[in-house]
Amino acid sequence: MRLGRYLAHAGVASRRAAEEIVRAGRVTVDGESVRDPARDVDERHAVAVDGRPLAGAEPRVVIALHKPTGVVSTARDTHGRPTVVELVGSALQAPEAGRERATSGRLRVYPVGRLDVDTSGLILLTNDGELANALLHPSRGVPRTYVARVGGGPVHQAAVQALRSGVRLDDGPTAPARVRRLGPGRLELTVHEGRKRQVRRMCEAVGHPVLALSRTRFGPLSLGGLRAGESRVLSVAEVERLRRLGP
Ligand code: URA
């Protein structure tokens, strides 16, 4: 349905007034400002006026998934590879999500950021566009922790120190990171940025190409007992903790 009409149906204003509200930039769809009243929306979109979600909008859900390698972090893949969205289908049918399904049919969730296809580990999916944007915004600097198995021989203190203070990449130097050696050829790195293939490029830059990479934490959340391919719906308290993550 057109956004203007959708707002009018929700009782926000008359059709014409609702279209003006959209043109004035007061409306977001999945967290993104939309000024086109003809934008196609339905009840699965998170529509807000002046930052206030429309009553009756789809309930918000956040899912933690242990992404296996070989799975892409997009909603759809042109090469037919399995996607994180397909994997969490079962979490959306879990008892905790039953209420949501009953009221609005299948929830449409999107990954919060990306993990490379060859990276495993913790990734969040949500239908809350505003929360997703906030978590990914560079100003928040949400910490992400990775465990990397690296080649290139023993990792010396100089390499660890270089990773900690920041290495020069082709898109600029990296911010300070927390780094510790977990064993021969195994590093734990906590970074506050989400640049493309960042951890792989950082390790490569200090002479230790990554052989395997897994994300173990995202902000306050850890993989916990989730096994590869498993997912769970976050509790209200966990989602609140995500919302409160500040810059
Ligand atoms: N850094 C990487 O290099 N790859 C990922 O998937 C995530 C962080």
Side-chain angles (χ1 to χ4, degrees):
M1 181 187 298
R2 290 162 62 98
L3 179 56
R5 185 156 167 243
Y6 187 81
L7 293 174
H9 272 227
V12 170
S14 69
R15 174 99 60 93
R16 191 165 308 166
E19 289 178 354
E20 279 315 310
I21 289 171
V22 177
R23 286 196 194 94
R26 294 169 53 194
V27 177
T28 55
V29 176
D30 289 336
E32 234 178 78
S33 178
V34 172
R35 287 171 179 264
D36 177 9
R39 167 72 73 91
D40 196 37
V41 291
D42 60 35
E43 76 286 347
R44 290 171 302 178
H45 290 97
V47 179
V49 180
D50 298 330
R52 277 192 300 275
L54 286 194
E58 180 182 277
R60 297 287 153 248
V61 62
V62 185
I63 294 168
L65 167 71
H66 184 161
K67 182 184 106 55
T69 56
V71 174
V72 294
S73 306
T74 48
R76 230 168 277 123
D77 184 52
T78 44
H79 295 92
R81 294 172 293 187
T83 73
V84 290
V85 171
E86 287 160 11
L87 271 188
V88 299
S90 54
L92 291 173
Q93 281 148 31
E96 305 97 293
R99 187 174 52 81
E100 286 89 333
R101 277 198 311 125
T103 53
S104 58
R106 184 66 166 269
L107 294 174
R108 190 163 55 177
V109 292
Y110 296 97
V112 178
R114 300 256 189 280
L115 288 177
D116 302 330
V117 66
D118 42 355
T119 299
S120 63
L122 180 61
I123 187 163
L124 301 182
L125 294 98
T126 185
N127 57 351
D128 187 334
E130 265 167 285
L131 177 63
N133 288 342
L135 291 172
L136 295 174
H137 200 278
S139 68
R140 297 248 173 161
V142 173
R144 297 117 155 117
T145 300
Y146 298 86
V147 171
R149 190 159 59 78
V150 296
V155 183
H156 296 299
Q157 188 57 24
V160 172
Q161 204 44 55
L163 290 169
R164 282 185 183 145
S165 36
V167 295
R168 202 173 293 281
L169 301 179
D170 51 14
D171 53 354
T174 59
R178 233 179 35 232
V179 181
R180 56 189 189 117
R181 277 178 288 209
L182 299 178
R186 274 183 90 229
L187 290 175
E188 183 187 74
L189 303 95
T190 301
V191 300
H192 296 262
E193 306 162 284
R195 285 149 66 176
K196 203 165 177 211
R197 295 182 78 81
Q198 178 169 344
V199 173
R200 291 173 196 278
R201 291 188 293 142
M202 286 171 72
C203 293
E204 179 85 45
V206 297
H208 293 284
V210 168
L211 307 175
L213 186 63
S214 178
R215 182 156 71 190
T216 55
R217 295 190 68 88
F218 184 90
L221 299 169
S222 69
L223 262 184
L226 282 182
R227 283 176 303 193
E230 286 182 347
S231 57
R232 67 180 181 87
V233 176
L234 297 190
S235 68
V236 172
E238 287 174 312
V239 175
E240 270 315 301
R241 249 183 287 148
L242 288 175
R243 285 193 204 289
R244 282 200 300 267
L245 281 179

